[in-house]
Structures are given as structure tokens and as C-alpha cells.
Amino acid sequence: MNQNKFQYKVQGVDYDVEIEEMEGNLAKVNVNGISFEVELKQPINPSHAVTRHKVEAPKPAANMSKTTTTHSVAPQQPAPTAAAGAGTAIKAPLPGTITTVCVKVGDKVNTGDTVVVLEAMKMQNNIEAEVSGTVTSIVVNQGDSVMEGAVLLTIG
């Protein structure tokens, strides 16, 4: 495997990560075919600074193309799903950008109700409630980029 290519598993989802370019504390990376710009906040192990990054909230990249967003990739243990809220986790079926959060915490939803709209490959995808109940937590905001399998919200 190329020294700039890595494979990570986060919450049971495999990610192929390739570091395309590194300049100062900014790197252009490709994660499962999607380009991102990541910012190195502080090396965990200075001899492996390229492969380890502290996670930061997604934000638009000012100097990158329209389809690229800024993320930091971290090969660390993910927070348990239960931390998002009690109930059934509704997860992203594919990577994309949250365009609309259709519910708020405390809303009652029925199976099949649209709870989030996710844009992927320039298409709007309605993410539906898989169970009926009350929204106990929402862990994404409009504009957030998410990877496949990321928890969007929970319904209890």
C-alpha cells in the first residue's frame, strides 16, 4: 500500500483515505472518492503527524472547489451511538451534505416521515424515520457534511 494511502474503520464502516497533498498544516485528502481539505490541529505523535489529526467541526473551504469541504480525519475510537440520544439511531445511507433538518427534538414522527434531506451527487435524498416515536436528539445541522453510516438523529 502506498505510504499516503490508509484504510480506517469507523463504527463498522470502512474508509479508504489518500493524502493527495500536504502544505504546512493543511492537507488535501480523498476519502472514499470524495475530496476534503483537512487541517492538522496538533500532532498526536510528531513522527506520524500526517496520519493523525484532531477532529474539528466541518466548515466550508474558502479556497477549494464547490464540491470540497473542510474536515479533519481522526483514527480514534468513535463516540458510542447511545451518546447521541436514547432510541433508534437514524444513519446516513450515503455520504453527503445535510440540506434540511425537518424535525426538532421533541417532535413526534411516524415511520416513513422525512426527517432530514441529504444532498449527495447533486441529488436531494429524503431520509425517513425508520420507526415511530419522539425525536430524542439531532446530531447534525444544515450544511454539515456526513459520511455513510453517520448518526443523524435518534428517535425514542
Side-chain angles (χ1 to χ4, degrees), residues 83-132:
T88 301
I90 305 301
K91 297 180 180 181
L94 65 166
T97 302
I98 303 299
T99 58
T100 309
V101 177
C102 305
V103 295
K104 59 186 183 304
V105 173
D107 283 357
K108 300 217 180 292
V109 295
N110 294 313
T111 302
D113 288 352
T114 298
V115 292
V116 173
V117 179
L118 175 74
E119 181 180 308
M121 298 178 287
K122 298 186 180 188
M123 292 183 60
Q124 302 294 318
N125 298 279
N126 292 337
I127 309 303
E128 299 175 347
E130 298 169 4
V131 296
S132 295

Side-chain angles (χ1 to χ4, degrees), residues 10-105:
V10 180
Q11 293 183 328
V13 178
D14 291 325
Y15 296 97
D16 292 323
V17 179
E18 178 180 4
I19 299 173
E20 297 173 342
E21 184 179 326
M22 185 82 176
E23 185 176 323
N25 68 335
L26 295 177
K28 291 181 183 177
V29 300
N30 186 300
V31 180
N32 288 358
I34 301 172
S35 293
F36 295 94
E37 184 175 289
V38 297
E39 180 180 355
L40 176 66
K41 299 299 277 186
Q42 177 180 345
I44 295 171
N45 179 348
S47 66
H48 294 93
V50 171
T51 62
R52 304 219 174 183
H53 296 66
K54 185 174 180 182
V55 173
E56 74 172 34
K59 56 188 170 189
N63 62 349
M64 300 291 286
S65 69
K66 181 176 154 185
T67 58
T68 305
T69 55
T70 301
H71 280 272
S72 289
V73 179
Q76 60 187 26
Q77 290 296 325
T81 303
T88 301
I90 305 301
K91 297 180 180 181
L94 65 166
T97 302
I98 303 299
T99 58
T100 309
V101 177
C102 305
V103 295
K104 59 186 183 304
V105 173

